[in-house]
Amino acid sequence: MNDEIPETHPRYKSLVIRERLRDFMEKGIVVPEGLIAHGRGEAFDYIFGEASQDFALESEKAAISLLMLSKNPVITVNGNVAALSYKEIVELHNVTGIKVEINLFHRSDERIKKIAELFQREGLTEIYGIHADKEIPGLVHNRRFADGNGIYSADTVFIPLEDGDRAMSLKNMGKKVIAIDLNPFSRTSITADISIIDEITRTIKNFIKIYEELKNLNESELKEILNKFDNKKNKVDAINLICEKLRYWQTDQKPHL
Ligand code: ATP
């Protein structure tokens, strides 16, 4: 994929992602603020060992169950999400039928067009949010614009790499919220019904595998998975792992998780 970064480098994947974000910034899809937001996520991922931990896989299984049970689920994408995972998101749409809506804090017609083209080239024909005709109550910034046939009328909104404001406003509208955020302390992670504390590229790839495992389950079996899932416990597990890792680096004792 890249000539200059050797695959043996211990931070190979992380360096490839950085390079990808830089390339997509040059294309006008990622904004500079997106690079800073990514850095916050990276810091947490460093502590998590750059791997999907058990608490992440549990939440991903619950998230797929909820998406399969939802009547009108929508995934909302910003520049970073599009740059890092547009192919996998189209694959997820193809298997689950989830709608894809573009929603940007730094919104411009040109950026929306570029992001839409990325998905269209991958074969996605219906993209929401291009002509956002509704406003999410309680928000004043650009992320308030929503598509009446997309996020606005969705029963479940899947919001990778969010700002907490919108997650809270969507909850106030009575929607179920699934979030991906490596930071278990963010308002998004605190607000979501299902908080996936994992890196986005790993998460979406895991989703497709988990969907294959769950696709033949019936409604009550999916509901059972959801009922057994404990979002609060999961976040506590993530925070405990952070504490253990920090202690380990202080004392050289191996973390349990
Ligand atoms: P909140 O408003 O919820 O407190 P915030 O203001 O920190 O969040 P942003 O600045 O928009 O939100 O940051 C986006 C969040 O996305 C950060 O918390 C960061 O941990 C997370 N993040 C960034 N890159 C990734 C990634 N590749 N995978 C998963 N999470 C990521």
Side-chain angles (χ1 to χ4, degrees):
M1 186 175 199
N2 186 292
D3 290 335
E4 288 155 40
I5 305 170
E7 282 190 40
T8 50
H9 191 290
R11 304 252 84 75
Y12 175 75
K13 281 190 190 150
S14 152
L15 296 179
V16 168
I17 287 180
R18 283 185 189 179
E19 192 144 339
R20 189 175 170 109
L21 286 172
R22 190 206 57 204
D23 290 348
F24 277 83
M25 192 176 84
E26 283 164 7
K27 291 178 187 158
I29 284 173
V30 168
V31 290
E33 291 81 352
L35 302 187
I36 299 165
H38 181 77
R40 175 145 53 201
E42 259 194 353
F44 283 98
D45 209 23
Y46 191 96
I47 299 174
F48 292 132
E50 294 169 356
S52 301
Q53 300 292 338
D54 285 350
F55 53 78
L57 295 168
E58 285 293 313
S59 60
E60 286 158 11
K61 194 170 165 188
I64 284 290
S65 304
L66 177 56
L67 290 177
M68 287 168 73
L69 287 166
S70 301
K71 303 247 173 314
N72 191 13
V74 178
I75 177 168
T76 149
V77 299
N78 64 12
N80 281 31
V81 172
L84 294 177
S85 292
Y86 70 95
K87 283 191 182 163
E88 291 79 7
I89 288 172
V90 175
E91 209 178 328
L92 187 68
H93 161 83
N94 289 341
V95 293
T96 64
I98 192 166
K99 292 178 180 172
V100 178
E101 177 159 341
I102 301 169
N103 179 282
L104 305 176
F105 189 90
H106 302 280
R107 188 183 171 95
S108 72
D109 288 345
E110 199 195 342
R111 234 182 125 215
I112 288 180
K113 188 166 169 266
K114 284 182 179 170
I115 294 173
E117 279 168 3
L118 204 58
F119 284 98
Q120 279 156 349
R121 277 202 298 275
E122 209 47 42
L124 186 68
T125 47
E126 242 177 325
I127 299 165
Y128 296 83
I130 298 173
H131 306 292
D133 53 345
K134 295 277 185 191
E135 292 194 15
I136 299 168
L139 292 181
V140 287
H141 51 70
N142 278 335
R143 299 200 83 166
R144 72 184 184 277
F145 297 115
D147 199 311
N149 295 315
I151 290 169
Y152 198 80
S153 54
D155 52 354
T156 300
V157 188
F158 175 26
I159 47 173
L161 325 190
E162 255 294 313
D163 67 312
D165 287 9
R166 195 166 63 122
M168 287 195 258
S169 300
L170 290 169
K171 283 286 298 168
N172 289 340
M173 286 176 84
K175 299 179 191 303
K176 292 273 181 210
V177 170
I178 301 168
I180 303 175
D181 190 336
L182 280 158
N183 175 5
F185 309 109
S186 73
R187 288 171 304 160
T188 311
S189 294
I190 290 167
T191 310
D193 296 286
I194 300 180
S195 316
I196 300 172
I197 300 164
D198 201 359
E199 200 276 327
I200 183 171
T201 61
R202 290 198 304 266
T203 302
I204 309 282
K205 281 182 190 148
N206 291 344
F207 264 20
I208 291 161
K209 272 193 232 147
I210 296 169
Y211 175 80
E212 281 303 312
E213 288 163 23
L214 304 188
K215 70 179 180 193
N216 294 322
L217 297 191
N218 62 33
E219 197 177 313
S220 66
E221 288 167 324
L222 292 170
K223 279 186 181 158
E224 203 183 320
I225 294 175
L226 267 185
N227 290 340
K228 279 191 185 150
F229 174 71
D230 183 340
N231 199 43
K232 190 158 181 211
K233 179 193 168 291
N234 248 41
K235 281 186 283 185
V236 170
D237 284 351
I239 293 166
N240 280 339
L241 179 57
I242 293 174
C243 297
E244 284 197 44
K245 279 287 187 87
L246 297 181
R247 269 197 300 275
Y248 165 66
W249 281 320
Q250 267 185 330
T251 63
D252 266 5
Q253 278 171 1
K254 270 219 166 305
H256 299 301
L257 283 166

